[in-house]
Amino acid sequence: MSNSNHFLIKLLFQGSLITKISIGLVLGIIAGLIAHPLTPTLGFNLAESVSILGTLFVRGLRAIAPILVFILVLSAIANRKASDAEHNSKAMKSVIVLYIVGTFLAALTAVVASFLFPSQLTLVTSGAELSPPQNVSEVLLTVLMNVVDNPIQALFNANYIGILAWAIGLGIALRHASESTKRIIHELAEAVTMIVKVVIAFAPFGVFGLVAAAMADKGLEELGAYARLLYVLVGSMLFVAFVVNPILVFWKTRQNPYPLIWTAVRESGLTAFFTRSSAANIPVNMNLAKRLDLNEELYSVSIPLGATINMAGAAITITVLTLAAVTTLGIEVHFTTALLLSVIASICACGASGVAGGSLLLIPLACSLFGIPNDIAVQVIGVGFIIGVIQDSVETALNSSTDVVFTAAADIAEKRSNG
């Protein structure tokens, strides 16, 4: 292998992705701001030239996203193991209920925040045919029609509702397949995930091109739009961490929730903020649960499970970015549709674990609820990567710290009920 190839591989796959995206973001801002003044000297527009990097990155995301959703959901359901006896305990059921309710309330919080503080995005809509729903019955009819779509057609047209329906159906059917078949499906999911990692490795270049083009077109006002979007995202996550979660903990334990909340945020959330991985933070959470004197049979199951399905932060990201796209396109949102979006975002969030940028890659599924075509939805993913420097860290901190909070709440409630 030549030195140049070795250098390229190290550049793409080694080191902190967040650092490289930050560098791409800064360079993109600089390139966008100096593009027009330098055009007479260079003989070409620098921002327009490098914008191809953003276009290629977005096209790569658009290509892999439908296959990713289909294979990951199919594999997760087909390979799900039968529950052990301890999984059926009252405390474990309480943890699962808290995970589900907490994720749904997070999505609902994001809906309210998006209505109160609407955000606008810079999206290229020329040539795209918008088909926004006119009423709730049309939304439900569209969902039903998409569910029964031909699976090949669903993948070809990026019909995410149909993709999700077929993945769930085939996953349930294949739970009765042989172990060798399940193994093949699992390895196929790992292969798709590896391709996603390759695409995500080019995120710094994509962000560089996207930001340069946006800065050259809109100037510094574009940064204001990104900042407003971050305010809504981070504000919603902080509200869930310090208002919604304490209410759920008090509901279960009937005691002051904030000592537990602060401990989890300080010792779990802070580490997760920098690692940006719920899975990598599992040992930290396990150690914290042990020091909190929680039931080991409970937290040894609930902590890894939470790293997979407890995704309040991801639900917020999916909801806020989807509604930002809806606002930008001038699509009217009814309350029932917003409620349905909260449910879909919660389901999507549960499939976001284990994939870099997972919550962002599932945004097209939520966008399809409003008739937003895939060409526009993947541009929203690009925006997500631009703000992901902060968004992904806060999202992971919320997700991971909540695993400990809800496990502790269920354990405390169980011990109190047993006297």
Side-chain angles (χ1 to χ4, degrees), residues 92-140:
M92 191 63 209
K93 290 178 181 177
S94 296
V95 174
I96 293 174
V97 168
L98 286 170
Y99 284 167
I100 294 171
V101 173
T103 301
F104 173 73
L105 290 178
L108 202 58
T109 298
V111 167
V112 175
S114 297
F115 280 147
L116 293 175
F117 309 100
S119 303
Q120 296 259 351
L121 307 176
T122 300
L123 302 173
V124 179
T125 59
S126 57
E129 295 184 7
L130 294 176
S131 53
Q134 301 301 313
N135 49 55
V136 175
S137 60
E138 186 177 335
V139 173
L140 295 175

Side-chain angles (χ1 to χ4, degrees), residues 41 72 93 123-124 131 227 244 269 306-307 315 323 354 387 390 406 416:
T41 305
L72 285 190
K93 290 178 181 177
L123 302 173
V124 179
S131 53
V244 175
L323 288 178
I387 64 173
I390 297 174
F406 286 165
R416 181 169 53 84

Side-chain angles (χ1 to χ4, degrees), residues 32-94:
L33 294 177
I34 67 174
H36 292 304
L38 286 181
T39 298
T41 305
L42 296 175
F44 62 90
N45 188 301
L46 178 63
E48 289 181 359
S49 299
V50 301
S51 66
I52 185 65
L53 296 173
T55 302
L56 289 172
F57 178 61
V58 169
R59 285 180 67 88
L61 292 172
R62 183 174 63 189
I64 195 63
I67 301 171
L68 174 73
V69 172
F70 180 74
I71 296 297
L72 285 190
V73 173
L74 170 62
S75 176
I77 295 175
N79 288 285
R80 186 170 67 87
K81 303 297 183 182
S83 298
D84 296 325
E86 64 263 29
H87 291 213
N88 297 320
S89 68
K90 184 179 177 182
M92 191 63 209
K93 290 178 181 177
S94 296

